[in-house]
C-alpha cells in the first residue's frame, strides 16, 4: 500500500469490477443510478457478523443490495425506524445496539463530504442515531454520488437535533455563531425531537464547530461528522465508483 501524508487522499478505482466502470462510462448516469452503483460497491466490504446500516435513499439502495448477501451476516443495527423497517422487509434481522458489542462496519450516505472525510449528515433527520451507530463501528464507509463531494462544508444547511423546549434558545445561540436556523416544519425525529436546519454557515473548521454546537444546552447532536469522520468514501461518478480513503 502507498504511503500518504496526513490529510492526503488515496484514490483507488480498482476495487470495483471493471465491467461496471465501463457501463457507467458509456451511460448518461442519473443520480439514482450513481447511488445504486456505490451501494452495490459497498457490498464488497460486508463482513460476516453484524453491521451498522445508515438512513436515506443511498442507504436504501444498500439495504436492497444487502438482501442478496444476507446469509453472510448475523444481523444489522439500524440508524432509524425507516431503515429497520426496510431491513426487516428483506428478512434481515434487526438487532438492538445494546445487545451487541460493536460492528466492523457502518455504511451510510452523506449530504456533503470533503476530501478529509468530514461530512454533513441529517438531511433525513436521523443524525443522532447515525452518529451513535457510527461511533460503535470500526469502519465508516460513506456511499455517495459525486455531487456530494465539496471543498468546504456548509452549502447544505446543517441539521441540528434539539430538545423541543430548547428550540428558541438554541436558535438564538446558533444565530450568534453566524448561522440562520430554520425549524424543519412538520418533522419529529425518531427520538421525539425537532430539527433546526442552519443555513449560511461557513464551516472552515468542522471539528471545532461540531464540538461548539454540541455544547449548546438543549442540542442533542448536530449533523457535522468530523470528530469521527468516514474511513472510506465510495464516490459515484460517470467514470465509475472511486474509492477514497483518509
Ligand atoms: C439521513 C442522512 C443521509 O445519509 C443523508 O441525508 C443522505 O441522504 P441521501 O442518501 O438520500 O442523499 O444523513 O439522516
Amino acid at each position: 500500500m502507498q504511503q500518504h501524508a496526513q490529510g492526503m487522499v488515496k484514490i483507488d478505482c480498482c476495487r470495483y469490477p471493471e465491467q461496471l466502470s465501463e457501463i457507467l462510462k458509456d451511460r448518461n448516469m442519473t443520480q439514482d443510478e450513481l447511488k445504486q452503483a456505490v451501494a452495490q460497491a459497498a457490498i464488497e466490504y460486508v463482513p460476516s457478523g453484524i453491521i451498522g446500516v445508515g438512513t436515506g435513499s443511498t442507504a436504501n439502495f444498500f439495504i436492497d443490495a444487502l438482501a442478496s448477501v444476507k446469509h453472510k451476516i448475523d444481523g444489522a443495527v439500524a440508524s432509524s425506524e425507516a431503515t429497520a423497517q426496510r431491513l426487516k422487509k428483506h428478512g434481515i434481522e434487526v438487532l438492538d445496539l445494546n445487545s451487541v458489542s460493536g460492528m466492523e462496519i457502518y455504511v451510510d450516505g452523506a449530504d456533503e463530504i470533503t476530501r478529509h472525510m468530514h461530512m454533513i449528515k441529517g438531511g433525513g433527520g436521523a443524525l443522532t442515531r447515525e452518529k451513535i451507530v457510527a461511533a460503535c463501528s470500526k469502519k465508516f464507509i460513506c456511499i455517495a454520488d459525486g455531487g456530494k463531494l465539496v471543498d468546504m462544508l456548509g452549502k447544505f444547511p446543517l441539521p441540528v437535533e434539539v430538545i423541543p423546549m430548547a428550540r428558541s434558545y438554541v436558535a438564538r445561540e446558533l444565530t450568534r455563531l453566524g448561522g440562520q436556523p430554520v425549524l424543519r416544519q412538520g418533522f419529529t425525529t425518531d427520538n421525539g425531537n425537532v430539527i433546526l436546519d442552519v443555513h449560511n454557515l461557513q464551516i472552515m473548521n468542522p471539528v471545532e464547530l461540531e464540538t461548539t454546537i454540541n455544547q449548546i444546552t438543549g442540542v442533542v447532536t448536530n449533523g457535522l461528522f468530523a470528530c469521527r469522520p468516514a474511513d472510506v468514501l465510495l464516490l459515484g461518478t460517470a467514470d465509475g465508483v472511486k474509492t477514497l480513503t483518509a
Side-chain angles (χ1 to χ4, degrees), residues 35 55-59 108-111 121-127 130 148:
K35 288 179 180 187
T55 298
S57 56
T58 320
D108 199 357
D111 298 301
K121 290 184 46 55
L127 58 158
E130 290 172 343
K148 306 286 182 66

Side-chain angles (χ1 to χ4, degrees), residues 38-39 41-42 45 58-59 62 105-114 117-121 139-145 148-149 225 228-236 241-244:
V38 291
Y45 290 81
T58 320
F62 173 70
I105 64 161
Y106 175 66
V107 180
D108 199 357
D111 298 301
E112 285 183 349
I113 182 163
T114 69
M117 303 286 166
H118 297 149
M119 294 166 279
I120 285 184
K121 290 184 46 55
K139 197 178 259 190
F140 187 136
I141 297 166
C142 180
I143 48 177
D145 61 87
K148 306 286 182 66
L149 186 65
F225 284 56
R228 197 270 186 257
D231 301 292
V232 177
L233 167 60
L234 299 176
L235 190 72
V241 176
K242 295 185 175 172
T243 305
L244 283 70

Side-chain angles (χ1 to χ4, degrees), residues 50-163:
I50 298 158
I51 66 167
V53 181
T55 298
S57 56
T58 320
N60 280 346
F61 284 125
F62 173 70
I63 296 167
D64 296 346
L66 187 64
S68 62
V69 295
K70 65 181 178 189
H71 57 275
K72 212 178 145 182
I73 59 170
D74 296 328
V77 173
S79 62
S80 65
E81 299 297 338
T83 288
Q85 274 179 24
R86 200 174 186 99
L87 286 163
K88 284 180 194 163
K89 206 183 82 191
H90 282 299
I92 298 167
E93 190 176 357
V94 176
L95 299 161
D96 184 326
L97 183 59
N98 292 307
S99 71
V100 305
S101 57
M103 286 79 68
E104 285 299 315
I105 64 161
Y106 175 66
V107 180
D108 199 357
D111 298 301
E112 285 183 349
I113 182 163
T114 69
R115 287 182 168 75
H116 299 286
M117 303 286 166
H118 297 149
M119 294 166 279
I120 285 184
K121 290 184 46 55
L127 58 158
T128 300
R129 294 192 186 191
E130 290 172 343
K131 209 175 264 195
I132 293 169
V133 182
C136 298
S137 305
K138 286 191 193 151
K139 197 178 259 190
F140 187 136
I141 297 166
C142 180
I143 48 177
D145 61 87
K148 306 286 182 66
L149 186 65
V150 297
D151 290 329
M152 187 171 73
L153 299 173
K155 197 166 175 199
F156 190 93
L158 178 67
V160 180
E161 180 164 354
V162 178
I163 302 283

